[in-house]
Amino acid sequence: MLTVLAATLRFLRRNATRIGVVLGTFLLVGGFIFVQQMREAFAEQDFQSQRSQVIAAQTHASQLGLEAAEFSDLQRQELTTASETPPAASAPFNEQRISFFSKAASQEAQIKEQLDTRVQKLVSETREAAQSDVAQISGNLQKAKQIGVDDQLLVEFAGLSNKAKIEIDVATTVRGYRAVSTELKAPLSKLSLMIADQETTNQLVGQYATQAAAQDHGDASLARTGANAALTQVQADMATARIFQMDVTIVDAHVQKLAAQLNQVTTATDLEQVNGGLQVQDKVLADAMTQNLPEKALTISLKEQVIRAYSHGKQIFSSYVTTGRPGLETDPGNFKVYWKVSPWTMHSPWPKGSAYWYPDSKVKMVMWFNGGAGIHDAYWRAYYGPGTEYPHYDPYGEDNGTHGCVNVPYSNMVWLWNWTPTGTQVIVY
């Protein structure tokens, strides 16, 4: 036994340096592995922390009243970041995993910063919009009294502006400020129509009747034709106003009375008076639309498969389009162009093998207005218009509607792209 111990001690003395080197190497490697493990753990923890903050910010945005379409692009970015798979490796060869988590944490932080900025901007914008609506209804009410609008018609507006001011002082969210604007929207439209009606009626009926007489030269048949044309025009303009959710009750009531008179009167003089009255109502409506409707707006008719561009309610451009196919219909609703980008590659959110999958498709320009729904050109489509949202024949090969977007012929898309700024209202109906 003593012999063995003595031999062991001699061996250790002779190889002490080597043994020290081996043990030191083991300790060094072990320490490096531990450091790499801790770096990866901290990087992943930071990523998860940043992601939790983004999710909390999204929840807060919803609680403040932001609509889904107003930050769904950031939600998609976050989901894309969170769904990426980290490289497979273990310490000490895990530098790529550490970089992956660090990059993901940075992306999450950027998304949160963008969302916070967007929320602050919308809170400020909606508050200012509500205050502007209150000032407008106060001014319009005073003007209506000055020009002689019937006091009985103004009773419903009494105290409305004071009530709205209190609501603005109490509100702190996008939802609260928008609720004030929504509450004032119909009264504003109605009051504007009353003012325009009174102003125009005071001046124009006789003028228009005189103009009609100069055109028909006393011919009752021509006078009736002119009056019918005036009726058709004002009815078309009322239909446009309703798309923009304007209250046309007052104009409609006058038009219905005049339409009834049109069916009863027979002389050229009486028909000219009806014609003058109808043109006055159309002028009233046009003035109210100019005052209340946005400077620029787009409407998309799912039934007609037509996109129209309006300036203060006056149509200045239209084009056939193709909207979403059965099962992926384009959503109706009131939206805004929130992002314009050119060019863009459409990437299928559905996996290959899905009935809805499509290969990456490049487009020249796209205007996003409702989450993942955009207005864009489509080189793969030859036909547009009614019926193209359903299965049909197309020589270019795209024989069905879209996946929810709105396809526009290239030359018409160029016009829309150049005319439409970010923030333009888009109404799909």
Side-chain angles (χ1 to χ4, degrees):
M1 185 67 178
L2 292 174
T3 303
V4 173
L5 288 173
T8 301
L9 289 172
R10 286 194 301 273
F11 174 81
L12 292 174
R13 282 196 296 270
R14 285 197 305 269
N15 297 280
T17 302
R18 294 177 182 176
I19 293 171
V21 169
V22 170
L23 291 175
T25 300
F26 278 132
L27 290 173
L28 182 63
V29 171
F32 181 61
I33 291 173
F34 176 75
V35 169
Q36 288 295 92
Q37 288 174 336
M38 293 304 296
R39 287 182 63 208
E40 179 181 331
F42 286 138
E44 183 175 5
Q45 184 180 15
D46 185 33
F47 161 62
Q48 295 296 345
S49 174
Q50 294 291 347
R51 188 180 184 216
S52 296
Q53 292 180 46
V54 172
I55 294 173
Q58 291 175 351
T59 301
H60 181 60
S62 296
Q63 292 171 343
L64 288 177
L66 271 71
E67 298 175 0
E70 291 176 316
F71 64 99
S72 61
D73 58 315
L74 297 179
Q75 287 180 311
R76 288 197 308 274
Q77 290 181 36
E78 196 286 322
L79 288 173
T80 298
T81 299
S83 63
E84 291 182 359
T85 303
S90 58
F93 309 107
N94 61 338
E95 193 62 38
Q96 287 186 341
R97 286 178 63 86
I98 295 171
S99 298
F100 171 86
F101 288 122
S102 297
K103 180 182 177 182
S106 176
Q107 290 173 338
E108 293 283 354
Q110 291 174 8
I111 292 170
K112 182 179 182 298
E113 182 179 358
Q114 292 178 48
L115 181 56
D116 289 343
T117 300
R118 192 173 298 183
V119 168
Q120 292 171 7
K121 181 181 178 182
L122 283 170
V123 169
S124 176
E125 289 178 347
T126 52
R127 181 176 60 250
E128 291 174 359
Q131 291 170 338
S132 175
D133 289 338
V134 171
Q136 185 178 357
I137 201 164
S138 298
N140 284 0
L141 185 57
Q142 183 178 0
K143 183 177 181 179
K145 294 176 180 178
Q146 290 173 348
I147 65 173
V149 175
D150 191 331
D151 289 339
Q152 292 298 318
L153 296 177
L154 301 178
V155 171
E156 63 181 288
F157 304 104
L160 193 58
S161 60
N162 289 335
K163 176 175 178 291
K165 287 178 181 178
I166 294 173
E167 291 173 347
I168 289 176
D169 290 339
V170 173
T172 57
T173 66
V174 170
R175 181 181 291 107
Y177 296 128
R178 281 179 173 163
V180 175
S181 292
T182 300
E183 181 183 356
L184 295 179
K185 183 176 182 179
L188 272 171
S189 294
K190 192 171 184 178
L191 190 53
S192 295
L193 282 174
M194 287 181 178
I195 292 171
D197 178 62
Q198 189 66 42
E199 288 180 332
T200 308
T201 301
N202 291 346
Q203 302 173 6
L204 297 179
V205 172
Q207 295 178 20
Y208 283 126
T210 299
Q211 293 173 10
Q215 293 174 356
D216 63 49
H217 304 290
D219 186 320
S221 177
L222 290 177
R224 184 173 296 279
T225 299
N228 282 327
L231 177 60
T232 299
Q233 181 62 52
V234 71
Q235 288 175 334
D237 288 342
M238 283 195 296
T240 298
R242 289 188 178 104
I243 292 175
F244 288 95
Q245 300 178 337
M246 278 189 67
D247 186 343
V248 296
T249 304
I250 295 174
V251 171
D252 191 26
H254 287 305
V255 170
Q256 289 186 36
K257 291 178 181 178
L258 290 165
Q261 293 176 25
L262 180 58
N263 292 327
Q264 297 170 359
V265 299
T266 57
T267 67
T269 300
D270 290 339
L271 289 166
E272 289 158 3
Q273 287 295 318
V274 172
N275 187 336
L278 289 168
Q279 290 190 61
V280 164
Q281 293 307 313
D282 198 32
K283 177 68 165 56
V284 167
L285 183 58
D287 289 346
M289 291 169 75
T290 298
Q291 182 177 353
N292 288 279
L293 298 190
E295 179 182 356
K296 291 186 176 184
L298 299 174
T299 68
I300 300 168
S301 170
L302 299 177
K303 180 179 180 180
E304 300 174 280
Q305 291 291 287
V306 171
I307 187 170
R308 295 181 173 90
Y310 290 90
S311 178
H312 292 296
K314 181 179 180 181
Q315 182 181 322
I316 59 174
F317 181 83
S318 68
S319 170
Y320 278 131
V321 298
T322 298
T323 62
R325 66 184 65 184
L328 295 175
E329 293 86 351
T330 303
D331 293 331
N334 196 330
F335 311 100
K336 287 184 179 180
V337 174
Y338 67 84
W339 190 28
K340 293 175 63 178
V341 60
S342 173
W344 184 261
T345 299
M346 296 292 180
H347 180 72
S348 175
W350 296 277
K352 196 167 185 178
S354 166
Y356 296 137
W357 178 86
Y358 57 87
D360 284 359
S361 306
K362 294 184 178 180
V363 299
K364 297 293 185 182
M365 60 207 83
V366 57
M367 302 189 298
W368 301 104
F369 67 93
N370 178 25
I375 303 168
H376 62 82
D377 57 291
Y379 68 85
W380 54 85
R381 190 178 299 281
Y383 298 145
Y384 301 83
T388 58
E389 74 272 35
Y390 301 110
H392 62 280
Y393 169 73
D394 191 304
Y396 284 13
E398 184 52 65
D399 57 0
N400 205 338
T402 73
H403 295 79
C405 285
V406 179
N407 288 178
V408 184
Y410 177 75
S411 60
N412 292 340
M413 186 63 210
V414 171
W415 189 95
L416 288 169
W417 174 268
N418 291 330
W419 182 82
T420 307
T422 301
T424 297
Q425 185 177 16
V426 179
I427 297 176
V428 185
Y429 66 99

